[in-house]
C-alpha cells in the first residue's frame, strides 16, 4: 500500500484537511484508488463530506458540537459516511458484547462489525449473524481470552484468522484483518494486517465491504453505502480479479442482486462481462457450495430475471443443468406461482427435461434426497395430468392412495406438480383432502381364507381397485363380500 499523507491548506478564513489513501499498481487492484476526506471545520455545527475518487457521489453527516467532542477521544480508522444511531444497532449491545468491547479496548486492539451485518443494519434490519473484524492477531486473541478465562472453540478457523469465543451463552466470531496473498479460485493463503482498507479491498461486493465501529461510525472505503441506497450490486475494484479470487462470487453476485435490487435495477455491465469470461471457474467449486447459493437464489426475489441472466452468461452447464433449457417456460411457471410459496425444486425442475437431467444435477450439486424426490416426481407426473379432464382431482387422489406413506410426502410433491402445470383449483381441493387408509390388510384376507403368498397381493390389488371406484367409501366388511367371486375368478 502507498503512503498515507495529510495536507492542510488555508482556504480563505477556513482551514481544511485532505487525507488520501493511495494504492499502488503492485496491490490487487488494476488502478490506483483514492479515498478522500474533505473536512470543513469552521462552525459550531460542522458538516463532513466524503467523496469517491471521481468526486461524483458523496454522503454527508451533520455533527453537533457534542458529537465532534466525542471524536476527539476516538479517531475512526477510515472514511466515516454516517453515524448509526438506530434501535437495531443499540439492541446488539448485550452484556456479553460490552465485555468483549471493553476487553479489546483495554488491550489496545480495534474491533468492528464487518460485512453483511453492517449492510443489514443500514437497511433497518437487525442482523441474525454478526461477524467482527479486529487488528488483533489470532495468537493475541487466544492469549487475551485465555487470560480472562473466556471459552473458545472452532479452532479450525484460526489459520484464516478467525477465533470464536463464548460469553454468557453468546458466540462471537472475530477475524483478524487480512489480505489474500495467494488464491486458487476458491481457497486463499492469507496474511494478517492492521490496515482496514486492505481488508476491505479483498472483499467481494461494495455492499459487503462496510465496517461499523462500536461507536456507531460506518466506515466505507468503496462507496458501498451509496450502492446500497441506489440498489446497485458491484464488485470491489476490478470485477475479474475479485471473481478469480473465488469463483463462487459469481453466484453470490446474483444472490445479492435478488436481495438488494429493486424491480427497475439493471445488472452491472462490468460485472456481467467479467462473469461471462470467468464463468468456467465454477467447475472447481464444490457441488454443495454451488447448491447452497442456487437454493438461496431460487428462494429469493427476481428469480426469473436472475436465472435468465445466468443462462445468458452460459453458466447453467457449470452448475449442473442442461445447456439447452426453455427459459420462457421457466419464467411462465415462476410468474404464475410466485405467490404460492413454491418449492425451489419446482423452479429447478422447469430446467430439467428428463429423469436423467435430475440425476445429473444431483451428481453435480449433491442435493438432498427430498429434493431429488420432488424433482423426479414433477418430471414424472407433469405431463400425465390432463387439464381438460374434469376427473383430474380423482386421478390425483388415486395417485396418492397408491403410494405407500413411508416413501415420502407425496401429497406435497403432487401439489408442487399442480403448481407447475397451473392447476390451482385442483391444488386447493387436494390441500384440503385427507388421504384415506385402505381398510383391508393382508392379515384380514388370510383370516378370511385367502391363501398366503402371491394370492394375497393379487386379491389386495383387486379390492383396492374396487375401493377407488367406490370413491374410497367402502368399508372392510363391504370389500370382503367380494372375496368369493374374486377367488373363484382367480
Amino acid at each position: 500500500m502507498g503512503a498515507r499523507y495529510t495536507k492542510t491548506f488555508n482556504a480563505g478564513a477556513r482551514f481544511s484537511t485532505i487525507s488520501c489513501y493511495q494504492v499502488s499498481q503492485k496491490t490487487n487492484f488494476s488502478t490506483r484508488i483514492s479515498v478522500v476526506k474533505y473536512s470543513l471545520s469552521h462552525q459550531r455545527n460542522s458538516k463532513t463530506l466524503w467523496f469517491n475518487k471521481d468526486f461524483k457521489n458523496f454522503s454527508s453527516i451533520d455533527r453537533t458540537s457534542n458529537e465532534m467532542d466525542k471524536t476527539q477521544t476516538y479517531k475512526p480508522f477510515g472514511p466515516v459516511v454516517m453515524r448509526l444511531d438506530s434501535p437495531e444497532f443499540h439492541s446488539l449491545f448485550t452484556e456479553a458484547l460490552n465485555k468483549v468491547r471493553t476487553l479489546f479496548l483495554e488491550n489496545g486492539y480495534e474491533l468492528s462489525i464487518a460485512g453483511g451485518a453492517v449492510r443489514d443494519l443500514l437497511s433497518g434490519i437487525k442482523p441474525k449473524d454478526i461477524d467482527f473484524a479486529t487488528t488483533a492477531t489470532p495468537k493475541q486473541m487466544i492469549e487475551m481470552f485465555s487470560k480472562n478465562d473466556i471459552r473458545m472453540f472452532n479452532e479450525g478457523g484460526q489459520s484464516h484468522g478467525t477465533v470464536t469465543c463464548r460469553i454468557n451463552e453468546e458466540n462471537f466470531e472475530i477475524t483478524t484483518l487480512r489480505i489474500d496473498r495467494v488464491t486458487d479460485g476458491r481457497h486463499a493463503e492469507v496474511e494478517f494486517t492492521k490496515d482496514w482498507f486492505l481488508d476491505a479491498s479483498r472483499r467481494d461486493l461494495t455492499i459487503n465491504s462496510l465496517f461499523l465501529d462500536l461507536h456507531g461510525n460506518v466506515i466505507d472505503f468503496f462507496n458501498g453505502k451509496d450502492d446500497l441506497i441506489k440498489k446497485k450490486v458491484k464488485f470491489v475494484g476490478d470485477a475479474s480479479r475479485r471473481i478469480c479470487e473465488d469463483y463462487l462470487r459469481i453466484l453470490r453476485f446474483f444472490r445479492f442482486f435478488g436481495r438488494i435490487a429493486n424491480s427497475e435495477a439493471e445488472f452491472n455491465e462490468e460485472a456481467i462481462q467479467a462473469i461471462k469470461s470467468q464463468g468456467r471457474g465454477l467447475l472447481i467449486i464444490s457441488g454443495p457450495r454451488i447448491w447452497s447459493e442456487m437454493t438461496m437464489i431460487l428462494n429469493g426475489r427476481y428469480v426469473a430475471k436472475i436465472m435468465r441472466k445466468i443462462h445468458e452468461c452460459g453458466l447453467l452447464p457449470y452448475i449442473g443443468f442442461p445447456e439447452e433449457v426453455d427459459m420462457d417456460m421457466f419464467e411462465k411457471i415462476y410468474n404464475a406461482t410466485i405467490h404460492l410459496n413454491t418449492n425451489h425444486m419446482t423452479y429447478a425442475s422447469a430446467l430439467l427435461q428428463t429423469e436423467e437431467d435430475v440425476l445429473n444435477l444431483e451428481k453435480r450439486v449433491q442435493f438432498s434426497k427430498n429434493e431429488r424426490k420432488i424433482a423426479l416426481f414433477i418430471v414424472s407426473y407433469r405431463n400425465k395430468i390432463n387439464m381438460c379432464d374434469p376427473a383430474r382431482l380423482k386421478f390425483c387422489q388415486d395417485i396418492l392412495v397408491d403410494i405407500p406413506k413411508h416413501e415420502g410426502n407425496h401429497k406435497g410433491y403432487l401439489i408442487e406438480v399442480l403448481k407447475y402445470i397451473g392447476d390451482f383449483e385442483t391444488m386447493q381441493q387436494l390441500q384440503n383432502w385427507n388421504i384415506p387408509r385402505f381398510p383391508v390388510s393382508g392379515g384380514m384376507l388370510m383370516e378370511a381364507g385367502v391363501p398366503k403368498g402371491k394370492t394375497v397381493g393379487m386379491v389386495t390389488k383387486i379390492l383396492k381397485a374396487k375401493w377407488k371406484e367406490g370413491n374410497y367409501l367402502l368399508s372392510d366388511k363391504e370389500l370382503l363380500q367380494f372375496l368369493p367371486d374374486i377367488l373363484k375368478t382367480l
Side-chain angles (χ1 to χ4, degrees):
M1 182 165 180
R4 171 182 174 178
Y5 63 90
T6 300
K7 180 179 180 181
T8 302
F9 61 94
N10 191 332
R14 302 172 182 176
F15 287 90
S16 301
T17 301
I18 295 179
S19 298
C20 298
Y21 298 77
Q22 293 185 335
V23 181
S24 71
Q25 296 283 357
K26 296 180 180 180
T27 65
N28 57 356
F29 286 91
S30 60
T31 59
R32 301 201 316 174
I33 299 173
S34 297
V35 180
V36 182
K37 175 183 177 182
Y38 182 67
S39 177
L40 298 176
S41 52
H42 56 279
Q43 294 178 345
R44 179 178 177 85
N45 294 328
S46 65
K47 177 173 286 190
T48 300
L49 305 180
W50 291 94
F51 295 82
N52 66 7
K53 64 174 182 177
D54 296 321
F55 291 89
K56 293 179 180 178
N57 301 311
F58 64 88
S59 302
S60 65
I61 54 173
D62 288 314
R63 287 186 173 178
T64 65
S65 58
N66 290 334
E67 289 173 328
M68 294 298 290
D69 290 341
K70 292 178 182 178
T71 63
Q72 294 176 5
T73 58
Y74 172 76
K75 183 179 180 180
F77 53 76
V80 179
V81 295
M82 68 174 290
R83 193 176 186 89
L84 195 61
D85 189 27
S86 66
E88 293 82 12
F89 172 61
H90 291 295
S91 69
L92 302 180
F93 288 88
T94 61
E95 180 182 346
L97 177 54
N98 285 326
K99 183 174 181 178
V100 171
R101 176 171 63 172
T102 300
L103 194 60
F104 276 76
L105 181 64
E106 289 177 347
N107 285 272
Y109 305 128
E110 294 175 344
L111 178 70
S112 288
I113 299 170
V118 186
R119 183 191 65 241
D120 288 345
L121 286 167
L122 289 175
S123 301
I125 302 170
K126 182 177 180 179
K128 295 181 180 178
D129 299 306
I130 304 176
D131 294 326
F132 293 88
T134 183
T135 53
T137 65
K139 181 179 179 181
Q140 290 169 333
M141 284 191 279
I142 291 171
E143 290 176 352
M144 179 174 61
F145 292 143
S146 299
K147 182 179 179 181
N148 289 273
D149 296 323
I150 294 175
R151 177 188 171 193
M152 290 169 284
F153 57 95
N154 190 23
E155 296 182 0
Q158 292 176 17
S159 61
H160 284 79
T162 301
V163 175
T164 304
C165 69
R166 186 172 181 82
I167 301 174
N168 296 349
E169 306 303 316
E170 288 187 56
N171 296 339
F172 297 91
E173 187 174 283
I174 307 170
T175 302
T176 305
L177 299 179
R178 68 194 192 196
I179 58 175
D180 296 335
R181 179 58 61 192
V182 180
T183 65
D184 62 3
R186 183 64 193 101
H187 303 97
E189 293 181 13
V190 304
E191 179 180 315
F192 301 137
T193 179
K194 294 185 182 299
D195 193 313
W196 294 87
F197 177 82
L198 290 181
D199 185 273
S201 71
R202 71 170 178 83
R203 296 176 182 263
D204 54 0
L205 306 172
T206 60
I207 57 174
N208 293 336
S209 65
L210 298 157
F211 296 109
L212 173 64
D213 68 29
L214 300 186
H215 297 265
N217 296 309
V218 177
I219 311 298
D220 184 6
F221 293 100
F222 297 104
N223 214 28
K225 173 179 169 286
D226 194 49
D227 288 338
L228 184 63
I229 292 172
K230 294 180 179 179
K231 310 298 182 182
K232 293 182 179 180
V233 181
K234 296 162 55 178
F235 286 103
V236 170
D238 183 83
S240 291
R241 293 197 176 205
R242 296 290 81 72
I243 291 172
C244 289
E245 290 164 356
D246 183 355
Y247 291 107
L248 191 64
R249 288 172 171 174
I250 291 174
L251 297 183
R252 284 175 58 82
F253 170 85
F254 289 111
R255 170 160 68 89
F256 279 103
F257 183 91
R259 185 170 179 178
I260 298 300
N262 55 29
S263 57
E264 292 81 25
E266 296 297 331
F267 295 98
N268 178 263
E269 189 57 32
E270 180 193 358
I272 293 301
Q273 292 306 316
I275 287 169
K276 287 180 178 179
S277 65
Q278 305 292 341
R280 188 175 180 82
L282 285 173
L283 289 174
I284 72 171
I285 304 298
S286 69
R289 298 301 300 271
I290 290 278
W291 193 241
S292 176
E293 292 293 330
M294 284 303 303
T295 299
M296 287 186 278
I297 290 172
L298 292 170
N299 283 317
R301 302 185 305 156
Y302 313 123
V303 176
K305 182 175 184 177
I306 291 172
M307 291 303 296
R308 186 176 288 277
K309 184 59 68 173
I310 286 176
H311 173 55
E312 291 174 0
C313 291
L315 305 180
L316 290 179
Y318 307 137
I319 296 170
F321 289 100
E323 187 171 0
E324 298 296 328
V325 296
D326 189 343
M327 290 307 304
D328 291 336
M329 176 61 71
F330 180 94
E331 189 167 345
K332 178 182 177 182
I333 292 170
Y334 173 75
N335 290 334
T337 61
I338 188 174
H339 61 290
L340 296 176
N341 192 29
T342 304
N343 191 285
H344 62 275
M345 290 308 298
T346 303
Y347 297 140
S349 298
L351 302 175
L352 305 169
Q353 298 301 315
T354 65
E355 290 187 1
E356 183 181 5
D357 288 343
V358 176
L359 298 178
N360 286 338
L361 178 61
E362 180 191 27
K363 183 178 180 180
R364 169 67 177 104
V365 301
Q366 302 172 41
F367 51 52
S368 69
K369 291 182 179 179
N370 187 60
E371 288 172 317
R372 180 187 66 207
K373 288 180 179 179
I374 295 174
L376 289 173
F377 201 90
I378 291 173
V379 169
S380 178
Y381 283 98
R382 62 189 171 191
N383 295 322
K384 294 180 180 179
I385 302 174
N386 186 354
M387 288 284 289
C388 298
D389 186 356
R392 59 187 183 276
L393 174 61
K394 181 65 166 54
F395 177 79
C396 292
Q397 291 171 333
D398 286 349
I399 291 174
L400 295 181
V401 298
D402 282 337
I403 300 175
K405 290 185 177 181
H406 67 270
E407 292 188 7
N409 178 25
H410 286 86
K411 182 178 178 180
Y413 303 163
L414 191 52
I415 286 174
E416 292 300 318
V417 175
L418 295 170
K419 292 178 186 177
Y420 185 100
I421 66 176
D423 189 353
F424 306 127
E425 179 183 355
T426 304
M427 179 194 74
Q428 292 177 342
Q429 292 173 322
L430 201 65
Q431 283 176 329
N432 299 322
W433 187 67
N434 294 320
I435 303 174
R437 185 178 63 86
F438 181 55
V440 177
S441 66
M444 295 169 62
L445 293 178
M446 286 185 286
E447 288 180 4
V450 177
K452 294 182 179 180
K454 294 182 179 180
T455 306
V456 172
M458 296 169 64
V459 172
T460 299
K461 185 176 180 179
I462 295 171
L463 289 178
K464 196 166 190 177
K466 292 184 176 293
W467 177 64
K468 291 182 336 188
E469 290 173 6
N471 204 28
Y472 326 111
L473 297 176
L474 295 177
S475 66
D476 54 350
K477 292 181 180 180
E478 291 171 322
L479 289 170
L480 291 174
Q481 290 177 2
F482 293 106
L483 273 182
D485 289 338
I486 294 173
L487 292 174
K488 183 178 180 180
T489 303
L490 292 176

